[in-house]
Amino acid sequence: MPMQKNSRYLVTAALPYANSFTHIGHIAGAYLPPDIYVRYRRLAGDEVIFICGSDEHGTAIEMASIQEGVPPQQIIDRYHFANKKGFDDLKIEFDIYSRTSNEEHHKTAKEFFLTLYEKGILTQKTDKQLFSEKENRFLADRFVTGTCPVCGYENARGDECENCGSNLSPLELINPKSKITGDTPVVKESTHFYFPLADFQQKLDEWINTKTDWKQNVLNYCKGWLKTGLKDRAITRDLDWGVKVPLKDNEGKVIYVWFEAPIGYITATKELFQNKGDAEGWKKYWFDENTKLIHFIGKDNIVFHALIFPAMLMGHGDYILPYNVPANEFLNIGGLKQSKSRGTGILVKDIVEKFSVDSIRYALAATLPENRDTDFTWEDLQARNNNELAAILGNFVNRTVVFAKNKFENKIPVRSSDSTESVELFNYVRNQTTLIAQNLDAFKFKDALSEAMNIARNANKYFNDTEPWKLIKSDKDKCAAVINDCLRLCFSLAVVFRPFLPDASDKILKILKSSIADLKWDDAANPKINDGEELGENIILFPIIEDEQISKNVKTDSNEAANTQSGGDDSGIGLITIDDFKKVVLKIAEVLECENVPNSKKLLKLRLKVGDKEKQIVSGISEHYRPEDLIGKSIVLVDNLKPSKLMGIESQGMLLAAKLGKELRIVTTDGAIDSGAEVN
Ligand SMILES: [Zn+2]
């Protein structure tokens, strides 16, 4: 079957934020899949460039710089170079790994902004913002802490309460304070530029509807946003660190990081071609409709890449729009979400010290969170390496090469004729190669990998069924043909596994003394080995991973989880004992009265009957429930929560609710039960 030939692809991987080290969840989400894809595309003869770089602006970096007392440059250098090395170690090979702090990027981002401005697309709005007179600056959301208006947590951030997960704005915080100086800010007006995303609602809707081949998770996400209705988004902020707004009277303002970071893909492409001495070369990748622009990202970035950036490109004009946005879900570690603050992330810089690049790439590729969150465990890495890589693929290559060494003077035996079995075998390889390509074309990397391993399984079966150890005595010519077939199979395996396991593929081709330079995907079904040639040195492709190597890591993980709990992270992930749980008294309560809290967008005040007593609580659910919906309902109450005041109203407990994205539902009982009943 002919494949799509000579297409042009511009493949991007999400720009990692340069204030933390990348972990394996990032790799499985947005970096290994495009690397596999790009390697495959190149083998298939397509013209591909692969773009990435560090995202180096924003409040988190400015904040880290102030807290550590070092220039922002020092923070971003630390993570940029470490993360670049991590990608190199994992053989994730970008054509360029740029940085948004580069001058070229500032220039490109400003030009983009000015074009939208000059076309009259941008709007301006004046908002109230917190301003520190002591620091003489506006305080961006992460620069403010205060009491959460929803749950009463005293160290809520200006953008989010880490205790209850509510999205906040700094003005909603009770007793706001500057995180740097502790200064109490005043409210001041500030004018900002907005990108009118709402104006692009219809165009985006029509465009998304043409994307019938996109992954379902991505389409669902986009359609959810479109259904809710897109809102205009502020694209400037009062900060020092970032791309300055390129207009007069806008001192102290920078372009918001979510707006300029994706423009980084354009800048990196420009830089790549400048480095090649072809300053105009980037244009065919961004302006030519025949180029397929593909953004690989994690699900937390879908809205930026599938809606906002396309709208920016539509507004600007000239640029092509994304061809596909194959976003992945999340990879968890032993059931825990990867999180730096909770100590559950496995950092790239650590794992590459312990295991081979092939073992890591294989274990991650076999566990990619393509359609749902998946779980990584060290035991799985060990089992994948030992039971699949070593026992199936490594074993086949090794037994074949050892046989040729012992019985055919370490040479590729010359074949005299093609047996029926041999013809059938390579017809099978041809069909598998097509099937793998179809899966890779459709971003189904796990299926592609599993079909590649099926070739290795069948190769072992061929070796077993033909019994070369018997043939060598009874029919040496036939034995030579079988071993020749097996060596050709080694070549096929080196090709189909090449996108996944570049190291192992190189090693196999080196043993076979086959040329790597002109390798093509189609060669898998037409192996290029030289009959009669002496084989290279045999090496064990996938050494066994011993139990001790694994138990060491498992121990480290649980230590980290334990540290996390005692470290005061009260987000509730991590394991607790039954005694911990018993500290929480949960009771059924009946809602007697319910009303809105004046001047609050989020709070409802509830009067509850809990057995023979009454209680009052304040809950941040008014965006999801009207007061009259709740009266008479049975809810689950945390009865022994320390009372707190929310907007001056005492709250004597907390109700339980389930939240996913924007959806929130209170927890209630299956059938009637009297209030005061204990829940356990
Ligand atoms: Zn809260």
Side-chain angles (χ1 to χ4, degrees):
M1 199 188 87
M3 279 181 290
Q4 297 167 302
K5 289 287 183 199
N6 304 319
S7 293
R8 191 187 306 117
Y9 289 84
L10 171 54
V11 176
T12 72
L15 306 183
Y17 197 51
N19 84 326
S20 63
F21 297 112
T22 47
H23 57 58
I24 60 167
H26 295 130
I27 300 299
Y31 305 99
L32 183 57
D35 187 69
I36 294 168
Y37 189 75
V38 165
R39 287 175 185 276
Y40 154 66
R41 282 277 161 232
R42 293 209 164 114
L43 281 170
D46 292 313
E47 190 185 335
V48 191
I49 57 171
F50 186 16
I51 299 292
C52 195
S54 296
D55 172 5
E56 302 192 319
H57 297 130
T59 49
I61 286 166
E62 185 163 339
M63 175 61 96
S65 130
I66 294 169
Q67 284 177 330
E68 292 187 31
V70 299
Q73 190 68 39
Q74 199 169 321
I75 308 272
I76 61 176
D77 282 354
R78 181 191 307 158
Y79 297 107
H80 172 78
F81 292 109
N83 290 338
K84 184 172 190 298
K85 181 176 182 299
F87 291 126
D88 289 345
D89 288 342
L90 288 177
K91 299 255 154 127
I92 290 166
E93 291 177 357
F94 308 114
D95 288 294
I96 183 166
Y97 190 70
S98 184
R99 328 177 55 169
T100 60
S101 62
N102 285 351
E103 205 184 313
E104 184 67 41
H105 177 65
H106 282 237
K107 206 175 114 200
T108 306
K110 284 176 184 174
E111 280 170 9
F112 200 106
F113 181 97
L114 278 178
T115 301
L116 295 184
Y117 175 78
E118 280 156 11
K119 288 178 95 171
I121 291 172
L122 302 182
T123 56
Q124 278 184 290
K125 256 194 258 182
T126 300
D127 285 326
K128 289 190 171 63
Q129 298 219 342
L130 295 179
F131 182 85
S132 164
E133 286 172 328
K134 195 165 160 188
E135 296 162 52
N136 190 30
R137 64 189 286 162
F138 283 99
L139 300 177
D141 43 27
R142 284 170 186 244
F143 283 72
V144 188
T145 62
T147 302
C148 170
V150 180
C151 73
Y153 177 62
E154 286 178 0
N155 283 313
R157 273 190 351 209
D159 57 343
E160 186 191 12
C161 171
E162 283 173 314
N163 188 47
C164 69
S166 300
N167 289 320
L168 302 171
S169 86
L171 287 167
E172 290 176 286
L173 289 178
I174 300 160
N175 300 326
K177 287 205 162 39
S178 161
K179 203 168 171 182
I180 309 294
T181 58
D183 186 29
T184 301
V186 296
V187 176
K188 220 171 149 173
E189 291 196 326
S190 180
T191 302
H192 282 285
F193 286 94
Y194 278 70
F195 181 77
L197 192 59
D199 294 354
F200 290 85
Q201 167 99 23
Q202 198 193 338
K203 262 179 119 174
L204 285 169
D205 203 2
E206 286 165 8
W207 177 67
I208 289 287
N209 278 326
T210 66
K211 299 295 185 182
T212 48
D213 59 338
W214 280 20
K215 288 171 70 168
Q216 204 53 48
N217 58 335
V218 180
L219 286 178
N220 290 348
Y221 196 91
C222 291
K223 286 176 181 169
W225 271 78
L226 289 164
K227 201 175 158 201
T228 313
L230 301 175
K231 294 191 177 63
D232 298 351
R233 304 195 50 126
I235 59 167
T236 54
R237 313 201 84 192
D238 296 296
L239 274 179
D240 289 333
W241 180 245
V243 178
K244 305 280 181 222
V245 173
L247 291 167
K248 274 189 185 158
D249 304 323
N250 281 277
E251 284 74 29
K253 292 196 196 303
V254 300
I255 301 177
Y256 202 176
V257 68
W258 69 254
F259 183 88
E260 49 99 352
I263 298 171
Y265 298 133
I266 301 171
T267 314
T269 315
K270 281 186 184 175
E271 289 172 322
L272 172 65
F273 282 93
Q274 282 166 6
N275 297 344
K276 290 180 179 183
D278 176 13
E280 301 295 302
W282 69 278
K283 288 184 178 166
K284 65 175 182 286
Y285 280 90
W286 281 98
F287 298 152
D288 183 342
E289 288 294 337
N290 294 317
T291 298
K292 291 171 178 156
L293 169 61
I294 304 182
H295 295 305
F296 282 84
I297 53 167
K299 66 177 163 188
D300 48 339
N301 266 323
I302 292 175
V303 66
F304 296 111
H305 290 78
L307 295 173
I308 299 177
F309 188 47
M312 287 163 58
L313 295 170
M314 287 172 180
H316 185 288
D318 304 337
Y319 287 99
I320 56 167
L321 300 178
Y323 175 75
N324 209 323
V325 184
N328 278 317
E329 304 288 302
F330 289 147
L331 179 80
N332 299 326
I333 303 295
L336 305 179
K337 290 235 181 300
Q338 301 241 7
S339 154
K340 216 174 36 145
S341 63
R342 294 180 197 131
T344 53
I346 297 172
L347 300 180
V348 174
K349 68 185 182 65
D350 298 332
I351 195 171
V352 294
E353 299 289 320
K354 295 172 185 163
F355 299 101
S356 77
V357 57
D358 284 334
S359 305
I360 301 168
R361 286 177 67 112
Y362 185 79
L364 291 179
T367 325
L368 291 179
E370 287 174 350
N371 302 309
R372 61 187 67 86
D373 288 0
T374 55
D375 206 19
F376 173 90
T377 64
W378 292 111
E379 289 82 357
D380 189 52
L381 175 107
Q382 181 189 28
R384 297 270 182 199
N385 181 79
N386 295 357
N387 306 340
E388 295 174 24
L389 283 180
I392 303 171
L393 176 58
N395 176 52
F396 175 72
V397 174
N398 185 58
R399 71 201 292 201
T400 300
V401 174
V402 168
F403 198 96
K405 185 180 175 185
N406 293 340
K407 305 294 179 189
F408 293 99
E409 297 158 333
N410 202 34
K411 284 183 182 147
I412 299 176
V414 179
R415 58 189 308 107
S416 44
S417 63
D418 282 347
S419 65
T420 327
E421 293 91 337
S422 170
V423 172
E424 277 174 11
L425 180 67
F426 283 93
N427 279 338
Y428 161 78
V429 172
R430 182 169 293 108
N431 290 339
Q432 282 298 103
T433 309
T434 305
L435 183 58
I436 296 166
Q438 285 167 349
N439 280 315
L440 291 170
D441 285 335
F443 309 108
K444 293 177 179 168
F445 300 105
K446 280 198 284 198
D447 288 349
L449 183 63
S450 133
E451 293 301 343
M453 196 50 93
N454 280 339
I455 300 181
R457 276 196 187 90
N458 271 292
N460 277 309
K461 185 171 185 303
Y462 183 73
F463 196 103
N464 293 341
D465 292 352
T466 51
E467 301 181 317
W469 59 91
K470 284 186 186 164
L471 284 177
I472 190 70
K473 293 170 199 147
S474 60
D475 185 345
K476 195 164 178 184
D477 278 357
K478 191 157 184 214
C479 185
V482 164
I483 294 303
N484 184 290
D485 278 343
C486 288
L487 287 164
R488 293 203 292 156
L489 279 171
C490 290
F491 180 98
S492 305
L493 291 165
V495 176
V496 296
F497 274 103
R498 194 165 181 77
F500 303 94
L501 310 172
D503 252 21
S505 171
D506 275 354
K507 286 174 186 162
I508 297 171
L509 293 170
K510 213 170 155 193
I511 296 171
L512 297 172
K513 292 195 177 158
S514 291
S515 162
I516 291 173
D518 311 313
L519 207 60
K520 293 276 172 288
W521 183 256
D522 289 348
D523 295 343
N526 304 292
K528 291 180 173 163
I529 60 171
N530 301 315
D531 292 5
E533 171 134 37
E534 192 166 348
L535 290 168
E537 193 194 340
N538 187 27
I539 35 169
I540 299 298
L541 295 174
F542 311 106
I544 293 294
I545 297 176
E546 303 294 343
D547 289 348
E548 304 88 79
Q549 286 170 268
I550 291 304
S551 55
K552 258 193 314 204
N553 290 303
V554 173
K555 226 169 111 208
T556 319
D557 279 1
S558 52
N559 283 348
E560 281 173 4
N563 286 342
T564 297
Q565 281 186 294
S566 57
D569 181 339
D570 40 10
S571 49
I573 309 291
L575 301 177
I576 63 167
T577 65
I578 187 76
D579 290 333
D580 290 330
F581 176 73
K582 279 182 178 162
K583 289 180 193 161
V584 183
V585 178
L586 298 172
K587 284 189 180 168
I588 299 299
E590 188 192 334
V591 182
L592 301 174
E593 293 165 21
C594 183
E595 61 188 62
N596 286 304
V597 172
N599 301 322
S600 167
K601 276 191 288 185
K602 290 182 176 160
L603 298 179
L604 289 180
K605 185 170 87 176
L606 296 88
R607 183 113 209 117
L608 304 175
K609 180 176 186 300
V610 191
D612 49 12
K613 60 183 181 180
E614 284 190 14
K615 272 198 158 185
Q616 167 179 295
I617 65 165
V618 181
S619 181
I621 54 174
S622 72
E623 286 169 326
H624 308 277
Y625 288 95
R626 291 172 301 177
E628 57 268 33
D629 298 336
L630 292 174
I631 294 169
K633 275 214 160 69
S634 279
I635 61 164
V636 178
L637 174 77
V638 181
D639 195 36
N640 62 337
L641 194 71
K642 212 170 108 188
S644 64
K645 278 197 174 170
L646 301 177
M647 297 192 77
I649 304 168
E650 182 165 273
S651 180
Q652 302 159 330
M654 185 176 95
L655 63 74
L656 296 192
K659 193 170 181 190
L660 181 68
K662 292 179 173 176
E663 289 278 301
L664 181 144
R665 293 284 175 273
I666 59 166
V667 175
T668 169
T669 62
D670 174 26
I673 182 161
D674 283 347
S675 80
E678 250 194 77
V679 180
N680 47 40

